[in-house]
Amino acid sequence: TALDSEVATLYVVDRENNQLFTQTHSNHDTPDRVNIVLDEGLVGRCATTGRVVNTSDRGVLRRHDSSFDTVSKVHVNSVLCTPIFGRNKEVIGVLQVVNKKSSKDFTTRDEHILASMATHLSVALQNLNAATENVKLEQYAETKIEILDALKSSYEHYNLQKFES
C-alpha cells in the first residue's frame, strides 16, 4: 500500500451533513460507508484545520476516530493525514495512511509524498464533483422540459376544448 503503510484511506468532506465519509469493502458483496463527524478524530482535525497530522504518540492516537478501524480490524500505531484542497483552498477531503510497516513513524518525506498524492486526488475529486453537478443539471433540465411539455399539452388541450365549446 501507499508509503509502506498497512492501510490507506481517502475521506471525502460532506459539508451538507458536516461529515467525512469513506467506503470500505470489508465484506466483498457491498461496500460499507463509514461516516465521521467533521471535527472529530485525527482525520477531522486535519479536515478542519487544513494541516497535516503525523503522529505515533499514544496520547494523540487516543483522539483517533476508530469507526474505520472497527470495519478494517486494524490496530492503529501511527497515523499520517494530509488535507486535500479544492480550487478555493477549502478542504474537500483527507488522505490518511496508517501504521508504517518499515519503522514506527512516518517521515517528512512521507508527508511530502502524501501531499503530492493529495494534489492529484484533488483534481480527480473536483472533476468528479463537476461531472456529478452536470448530471444533476441535465436531470433538472430534462425535468423542466418534461414539465413545460406537460404544461404545453395541457394548454393545447384546454384551448382545443375552449374552441370546441
Side-chain angles (χ1 to χ4, degrees):
T1 60
L3 300 174
D4 192 32
S5 65
E6 196 172 334
V7 178
T9 309
L10 168 64
Y11 290 90
V12 177
V13 173
D14 176 357
R15 296 223 183 269
E16 195 172 296
N17 295 306
N18 197 38
Q19 294 181 334
L20 288 155
F21 72 90
T22 190
Q23 288 190 309
T24 179
H25 292 274
S26 61
N27 125 7
H28 297 286
D29 297 332
T30 49
D32 298 315
R33 182 172 164 138
V34 177
N35 297 311
I36 299 173
V37 176
L38 190 57
D39 60 354
E40 289 185 4
L42 299 178
V43 174
R45 181 196 300 173
C46 180
T48 56
T49 66
R51 299 182 71 182
V52 170
V53 174
N54 183 358
T55 189
S56 61
D57 180 287
R58 285 271 159 237
V60 175
L61 287 174
R62 280 191 212 108
R63 289 182 236 149
H64 173 69
D65 185 293
S66 62
S67 305
F68 181 78
D69 307 337
T70 304
V71 175
S72 66
K73 297 177 177 62
V74 171
H75 177 73
V76 177
N77 296 312
S78 58
V79 172
L80 172 58
C81 302
T82 196
I84 301 170
F85 294 101
R87 286 184 187 94
N88 300 327
K89 303 294 183 211
E90 81 283 5
V91 177
I92 61 172
V94 174
L95 189 54
Q96 173 186 271
V97 288
V98 173
N99 296 346
K100 178 90 172 176
K101 291 180 186 176
S102 58
S103 70
K104 181 182 175 213
D105 299 316
F106 289 101
T107 64
T108 304
R109 182 174 185 272
D110 294 330
E111 290 179 13
H112 293 296
I113 292 169
L114 200 62
S116 177
M117 292 171 153
T119 301
H120 293 286
L121 283 169
S122 171
V123 172
L125 284 173
Q126 290 176 95
N127 288 341
L128 181 61
N129 286 339
T132 302
E133 286 302 315
N134 285 340
V135 168
K136 287 178 186 175
L137 287 173
E138 282 179 28
Q139 289 171 343
Y140 174 74
E142 288 172 16
T143 302
K144 195 172 180 180
I145 289 169
E146 289 170 9
I147 291 169
L148 290 173
D149 286 344
L151 285 171
K152 181 181 174 187
S153 294
S154 294
Y155 180 74
E156 288 171 354
H157 179 72
Y158 172 76
N159 277 341
L160 283 177
Q161 286 182 337
K162 188 176 174 184
F163 287 121
E164 291 173 355
S165 316

